[in-house]
Amino acid sequence: NGPDTVDVHEPEDIYHGSNLDLAPDPMLEMDYFQCAVDPRPTTDSQILANRPPSKARSGGHNREGIIVASGPDITTGAELEATIHDIAPTILYSHDVAIPEEADGSVIEDLFEQFDEDSVIRAPIAELVQTAQTERQRDEDAVQERLEDLGYI
């Protein structure tokens, strides 16, 4: 009782970017993700399961998904064209945080009532890490100074 269709996707068919060599092995798509490999077969010894997963399998994968967003600048009831790669850049954009240049994906523009391409900030990840370290050190210095002023140190 196996799958009707099995498609094999090579990493380069799904992933891209400078870290492609770190992508997982080929992915099997069975019956359009309606069938999955279950790590603990049931008593009938079926490895391929087209029923609800066993408790050992905590989740599955599907090519389609949903995104739920709410807020004053969010478009209501929009049908969006996006990939999972677009989620992180969209969240960063919505919080006015720079998006690493090395990141795959882009901001889901149609999610926002008023999207301004000029307000998308992209920077090299090394620069973003350095900025975060500088800000953390400044915060630590301010806490140290405040504790000294209060006489705790």
Side-chain angles (χ1 to χ4, degrees), residues 70-136:
S70 178
D73 297 326
I74 301 297
T75 302
T76 303
E79 284 197 31
L80 307 170
E81 290 288 327
T83 71
I84 194 167
H85 303 287
D86 300 326
I87 302 299
T90 300
I91 292 170
L92 293 171
Y93 169 81
S94 72
H95 290 280
D96 296 320
V97 175
I99 302 164
E101 288 177 351
E102 298 84 353
D104 290 336
S106 56
V107 176
I108 305 170
E109 298 176 16
D110 293 339
L111 184 64
F112 301 96
E113 290 282 342
Q114 296 179 356
F115 176 77
D116 179 12
E117 179 69 39
D118 293 334
S119 67
V120 175
I121 305 163
R122 288 222 178 231
I125 197 163
E127 181 181 311
L128 298 175
V129 169
Q130 180 61 43
T131 300
Q133 290 171 342
T134 302
E135 289 175 0
R136 182 174 46 243

Side-chain angles (χ1 to χ4, degrees), residues 1 13 24 30 59 62 94 104:
N1 210 15
D13 296 338
M30 295 176 271
N62 199 319
S94 72
D104 290 336

